[in-house]
mmCIF file of all heavy atoms in Angstrom:
data_model
loop_
_atom_site.group_PDB
_atom_site.id
_atom_site.type_symbol
_atom_site.label_atom_id
_atom_site.label_comp_id
_atom_site.label_asym_id
_atom_site.label_seq_id
_atom_site.Cartn_x
_atom_site.Cartn_y
_atom_site.Cartn_z
ATOM 1 N N LEU U 48 11.485 23.210 -25.987
ATOM 2 C CA LEU U 48 10.300 23.960 -26.361
ATOM 3 C C LEU U 48 10.053 23.729 -27.925
ATOM 4 O O LEU U 48 9.015 23.409 -28.274
ATOM 5 C CB LEU U 48 10.444 25.382 -25.995
ATOM 6 C CG LEU U 48 9.201 26.190 -26.046
ATOM 7 C CD1 LEU U 48 8.165 25.679 -25.102
ATOM 8 C CD2 LEU U 48 9.471 27.661 -25.795
ATOM 9 N N ARG U 49 10.973 23.946 -28.611
ATOM 10 C CA ARG U 49 10.986 23.711 -30.153
ATOM 11 C C ARG U 49 10.529 22.179 -30.346
ATOM 12 O O ARG U 49 9.690 22.113 -31.223
ATOM 13 C CB ARG U 49 12.236 23.974 -30.866
ATOM 14 C CG ARG U 49 12.266 23.688 -32.258
ATOM 15 C CD ARG U 49 13.541 24.094 -33.033
ATOM 16 N NE ARG U 49 14.656 23.379 -32.416
ATOM 17 C CZ ARG U 49 15.138 22.184 -32.653
ATOM 18 N NH1 ARG U 49 14.363 21.442 -33.539
ATOM 19 N NH2 ARG U 49 16.217 21.835 -32.184
ATOM 20 N N PHE U 52 6.925 21.768 -29.375
ATOM 21 C CA PHE U 52 5.969 22.313 -30.349
ATOM 22 C C PHE U 52 5.955 21.445 -31.713
ATOM 23 O O PHE U 52 4.792 21.240 -32.315
ATOM 24 C CB PHE U 52 6.362 23.646 -30.688
ATOM 25 C CG PHE U 52 6.052 24.730 -29.555
ATOM 26 C CD1 PHE U 52 6.356 26.082 -29.709
ATOM 27 C CD2 PHE U 52 5.425 24.312 -28.469
ATOM 28 C CE1 PHE U 52 6.021 27.026 -28.672
ATOM 29 C CE2 PHE U 52 4.962 25.183 -27.462
ATOM 30 C CZ PHE U 52 5.340 26.494 -27.530
ATOM 31 N N GLY U 56 2.283 19.686 -33.192
ATOM 32 C CA GLY U 56 1.566 19.938 -34.373
ATOM 33 C C GLY U 56 1.278 21.448 -34.674
ATOM 34 O O GLY U 56 1.912 22.353 -34.103
ATOM 35 N N ALA U 57 0.449 21.662 -35.636
ATOM 36 C CA ALA U 57 0.336 22.940 -36.379
ATOM 37 C C ALA U 57 0.024 24.131 -35.421
ATOM 38 O O ALA U 57 0.547 25.187 -35.505
ATOM 39 C CB ALA U 57 -0.702 22.878 -37.454
ATOM 40 N N ALA U 58 -1.066 23.988 -34.539
ATOM 41 C CA ALA U 58 -1.415 25.079 -33.608
ATOM 42 C C ALA U 58 -0.289 25.510 -32.684
ATOM 43 O O ALA U 58 -0.057 26.698 -32.535
ATOM 44 C CB ALA U 58 -2.591 24.624 -32.832
ATOM 45 N N PHE U 59 0.467 24.524 -32.144
ATOM 46 C CA PHE U 59 1.593 24.794 -31.328
ATOM 47 C C PHE U 59 2.800 25.465 -32.083
ATOM 48 O O PHE U 59 3.463 26.405 -31.536
ATOM 49 C CB PHE U 59 2.092 23.576 -30.596
ATOM 50 C CG PHE U 59 1.131 23.140 -29.425
ATOM 51 C CD1 PHE U 59 -0.042 22.503 -29.652
ATOM 52 C CD2 PHE U 59 1.349 23.625 -28.177
ATOM 53 C CE1 PHE U 59 -0.830 22.049 -28.645
ATOM 54 C CE2 PHE U 59 0.439 23.342 -27.138
ATOM 55 C CZ PHE U 59 -0.577 22.498 -27.378
ATOM 56 N N ILE U 60 3.026 24.939 -33.322
ATOM 57 C CA ILE U 60 4.079 25.424 -34.177
ATOM 58 C C ILE U 60 3.705 26.909 -34.546
ATOM 59 O O ILE U 60 4.731 27.799 -34.479
ATOM 60 C CB ILE U 60 4.283 24.595 -35.458
ATOM 61 C CG1 ILE U 60 4.777 23.238 -35.063
ATOM 62 C CG2 ILE U 60 5.119 25.447 -36.502
ATOM 63 C CD1 ILE U 60 4.953 22.339 -36.234
ATOM 64 N N LYS U 61 2.434 27.219 -34.792
ATOM 65 C CA LYS U 61 2.095 28.665 -34.983
ATOM 66 C C LYS U 61 2.397 29.631 -33.836
ATOM 67 O O LYS U 61 2.811 30.673 -33.956
ATOM 68 C CB LYS U 61 0.534 28.754 -35.476
ATOM 69 C CG LYS U 61 0.332 28.314 -36.896
ATOM 70 C CD LYS U 61 0.886 29.412 -37.800
ATOM 71 C CE LYS U 61 0.639 28.953 -39.264
ATOM 72 N NZ LYS U 61 1.329 29.904 -40.118
ATOM 73 N N ILE U 62 2.079 29.031 -32.694
ATOM 74 C CA ILE U 62 2.363 29.788 -31.424
ATOM 75 C C ILE U 62 3.880 30.070 -31.334
ATOM 76 O O ILE U 62 4.391 31.198 -31.073
ATOM 77 C CB ILE U 62 1.859 29.079 -30.204
ATOM 78 C CG1 ILE U 62 0.303 29.040 -30.113
ATOM 79 C CG2 ILE U 62 2.477 29.753 -28.914
ATOM 80 C CD1 ILE U 62 -0.210 28.216 -29.089
ATOM 81 N N GLY U 63 4.648 29.034 -31.565
ATOM 82 C CA GLY U 63 6.069 29.119 -31.517
ATOM 83 C C GLY U 63 6.627 30.105 -32.523
ATOM 84 O O GLY U 63 7.599 30.924 -32.271
ATOM 85 N N GLN U 64 5.991 30.174 -33.861
ATOM 86 C CA GLN U 64 6.424 31.051 -34.856
ATOM 87 C C GLN U 64 6.245 32.500 -34.436
ATOM 88 O O GLN U 64 6.938 33.399 -34.686
ATOM 89 C CB GLN U 64 5.677 30.657 -36.132
ATOM 90 C CG GLN U 64 6.282 29.372 -36.835
ATOM 91 C CD GLN U 64 5.380 28.981 -38.023
ATOM 92 O OE1 GLN U 64 4.174 29.408 -38.024
ATOM 93 N NE2 GLN U 64 5.967 28.109 -38.849
ATOM 94 N N ILE U 65 4.942 32.683 -33.802
ATOM 95 C CA ILE U 65 4.652 34.072 -33.398
ATOM 96 C C ILE U 65 5.618 34.440 -32.316
ATOM 97 O O ILE U 65 6.131 35.602 -32.219
ATOM 98 C CB ILE U 65 3.268 34.133 -32.762
ATOM 99 C CG1 ILE U 65 2.260 34.001 -34.035
ATOM 100 C CG2 ILE U 65 2.961 35.394 -32.080
ATOM 101 C CD1 ILE U 65 0.836 33.815 -33.618
ATOM 102 N N ALA U 66 5.869 33.585 -31.448
ATOM 103 C CA ALA U 66 6.761 33.800 -30.155
ATOM 104 C C ALA U 66 8.247 34.196 -30.709
ATOM 105 O O ALA U 66 8.973 34.899 -30.116
ATOM 106 C CB ALA U 66 6.821 32.698 -29.242
ATOM 107 N N SER U 67 8.645 33.508 -31.797
ATOM 108 C CA SER U 67 9.979 33.645 -32.350
ATOM 109 C C SER U 67 10.159 35.084 -32.790
ATOM 110 O O SER U 67 11.400 35.467 -33.034
ATOM 111 C CB SER U 67 10.272 32.713 -33.406
ATOM 112 O OG SER U 67 9.588 33.017 -34.658
ATOM 113 N N THR U 68 9.090 35.828 -32.992
ATOM 114 C CA THR U 68 9.325 37.303 -33.503
ATOM 115 C C THR U 68 9.287 38.237 -32.310
ATOM 116 O O THR U 68 9.418 39.493 -32.420
ATOM 117 C CB THR U 68 8.071 37.625 -34.479
ATOM 118 O OG1 THR U 68 6.901 37.557 -33.794
ATOM 119 C CG2 THR U 68 8.088 36.684 -35.613
ATOM 120 N N ARG U 69 9.107 37.659 -31.097
ATOM 121 C CA ARG U 69 8.983 38.522 -29.878
ATOM 122 C C ARG U 69 10.194 38.485 -29.109
ATOM 123 O O ARG U 69 10.223 38.120 -27.953
ATOM 124 C CB ARG U 69 7.787 37.954 -29.083
ATOM 125 C CG ARG U 69 6.533 38.137 -29.653
ATOM 126 C CD ARG U 69 5.741 39.392 -29.469
ATOM 127 N NE ARG U 69 6.559 40.578 -29.750
ATOM 128 C CZ ARG U 69 6.517 41.154 -30.925
ATOM 129 N NH1 ARG U 69 5.894 40.669 -31.965
ATOM 130 N NH2 ARG U 69 7.270 42.297 -31.133
ATOM 131 N N LEU U 73 11.064 37.421 -24.989
ATOM 132 C CA LEU U 73 11.843 36.196 -24.721
ATOM 133 C C LEU U 73 13.285 36.321 -24.863
ATOM 134 O O LEU U 73 13.814 37.069 -25.699
ATOM 135 C CB LEU U 73 11.348 35.066 -25.685
ATOM 136 C CG LEU U 73 9.873 34.589 -25.533
ATOM 137 C CD1 LEU U 73 9.485 33.601 -26.523
ATOM 138 C CD2 LEU U 73 9.615 33.994 -24.109
ATOM 139 N N ILE U 77 16.124 31.243 -26.439
ATOM 140 C CA ILE U 77 14.913 30.586 -26.853
ATOM 141 C C ILE U 77 14.468 31.130 -28.136
ATOM 142 O O ILE U 77 13.913 30.203 -28.934
ATOM 143 C CB ILE U 77 13.881 31.001 -25.805
ATOM 144 C CG1 ILE U 77 14.243 30.206 -24.358
ATOM 145 C CG2 ILE U 77 12.432 30.645 -26.153
ATOM 146 C CD1 ILE U 77 13.296 30.471 -23.316
ATOM 147 N N ILE U 78 14.675 32.334 -28.477
ATOM 148 C CA ILE U 78 14.297 32.856 -29.816
ATOM 149 C C ILE U 78 14.969 32.142 -30.889
ATOM 150 O O ILE U 78 14.394 31.809 -31.878
ATOM 151 C CB ILE U 78 14.586 34.477 -29.868
ATOM 152 C CG1 ILE U 78 13.639 35.329 -29.038
ATOM 153 C CG2 ILE U 78 14.420 34.911 -31.296
ATOM 154 C CD1 ILE U 78 12.229 35.405 -29.352
ATOM 155 N N GLU U 80 16.084 29.148 -31.098
ATOM 156 C CA GLU U 80 15.475 27.880 -31.288
ATOM 157 C C GLU U 80 14.132 27.954 -32.002
ATOM 158 O O GLU U 80 13.916 27.104 -32.854
ATOM 159 C CB GLU U 80 15.342 27.103 -29.996
ATOM 160 C CG GLU U 80 16.760 26.503 -29.556
ATOM 161 C CD GLU U 80 17.405 25.503 -30.513
ATOM 162 O OE1 GLU U 80 16.634 24.730 -31.130
ATOM 163 O OE2 GLU U 80 18.622 25.607 -30.670
ATOM 164 N N LEU U 81 13.312 28.845 -31.457
ATOM 165 C CA LEU U 81 11.967 28.935 -32.071
ATOM 166 C C LEU U 81 12.054 29.356 -33.454
ATOM 167 O O LEU U 81 11.160 29.039 -34.259
ATOM 168 C CB LEU U 81 11.012 29.841 -31.093
ATOM 169 C CG LEU U 81 10.746 29.368 -29.775
ATOM 170 C CD1 LEU U 81 9.863 30.379 -29.157
ATOM 171 C CD2 LEU U 81 10.157 27.940 -29.802
ATOM 172 N N GLU U 82 12.939 30.162 -33.824
ATOM 173 C CA GLU U 82 13.101 30.567 -35.277
ATOM 174 C C GLU U 82 13.289 29.310 -36.224
ATOM 175 O O GLU U 82 12.978 29.479 -37.354
ATOM 176 C CB GLU U 82 14.285 31.458 -35.376
ATOM 177 C CG GLU U 82 14.161 32.923 -34.865
ATOM 178 C CD GLU U 82 15.362 33.799 -34.919
ATOM 179 O OE1 GLU U 82 16.419 33.195 -35.065
ATOM 180 O OE2 GLU U 82 15.164 34.991 -34.839
ATOM 181 N N LYS U 83 13.781 28.339 -35.664
ATOM 182 C CA LYS U 83 14.059 27.154 -36.552
ATOM 183 C C LYS U 83 12.634 26.456 -36.826
ATOM 184 O O LYS U 83 12.565 25.668 -37.825
ATOM 185 C CB LYS U 83 14.849 26.127 -35.829
ATOM 186 C CG LYS U 83 16.253 26.585 -35.583
ATOM 187 C CD LYS U 83 17.151 25.545 -34.761
ATOM 188 C CE LYS U 83 18.454 26.131 -34.367
ATOM 189 N NZ LYS U 83 19.165 25.216 -33.521
ATOM 190 N N LEU U 84 11.620 26.872 -36.193
ATOM 191 C CA LEU U 84 10.284 26.381 -36.509
ATOM 192 C C LEU U 84 9.762 26.910 -37.949
ATOM 193 O O LEU U 84 8.960 26.321 -38.514
ATOM 194 C CB LEU U 84 9.264 26.686 -35.487
ATOM 195 C CG LEU U 84 9.301 25.988 -34.165
ATOM 196 C CD1 LEU U 84 8.554 26.595 -33.106
ATOM 197 C CD2 LEU U 84 9.021 24.459 -34.263
ATOM 198 N N GLN U 85 10.396 28.017 -38.357
ATOM 199 C CA GLN U 85 9.946 28.657 -39.555
ATOM 200 C C GLN U 85 10.224 27.915 -40.732
ATOM 201 O O GLN U 85 9.493 27.734 -41.693
ATOM 202 C CB GLN U 85 10.723 29.960 -39.691
ATOM 203 C CG GLN U 85 10.657 30.988 -38.396
ATOM 204 C CD GLN U 85 9.268 31.636 -38.314
ATOM 205 O OE1 GLN U 85 8.415 31.397 -39.039
ATOM 206 N NE2 GLN U 85 9.083 32.370 -37.281
ATOM 207 N N PHE U 185 -6.393 34.756 -33.496
ATOM 208 C CA PHE U 185 -5.484 33.797 -33.796
ATOM 209 C C PHE U 185 -6.182 32.557 -34.295
ATOM 210 O O PHE U 185 -5.872 31.932 -35.335
ATOM 211 C CB PHE U 185 -4.643 33.393 -32.496
ATOM 212 C CG PHE U 185 -3.996 31.961 -32.796
ATOM 213 C CD1 PHE U 185 -2.819 32.021 -33.576
ATOM 214 C CD2 PHE U 185 -4.390 31.024 -32.094
ATOM 215 C CE1 PHE U 185 -2.074 30.843 -33.710
ATOM 216 C CE2 PHE U 185 -3.755 29.680 -32.179
ATOM 217 C CZ PHE U 185 -2.614 29.719 -32.977
#
Side-chain angles (χ1 to χ4, degrees):
L48 193 59
R49 171 177 60 81
F52 283 179
F59 285 86
I60 289 175
K61 279 294 178 184
I62 291 174
Q64 289 173 336
I65 291 172
S67 73
T68 66
R69 295 270 54 91
L73 296 174
I77 292 180
I78 290 291
E80 283 299 321
L81 294 183
E82 284 175 344
K83 297 175 183 178
L84 289 169
Q85 307 286 0
F185 165 74

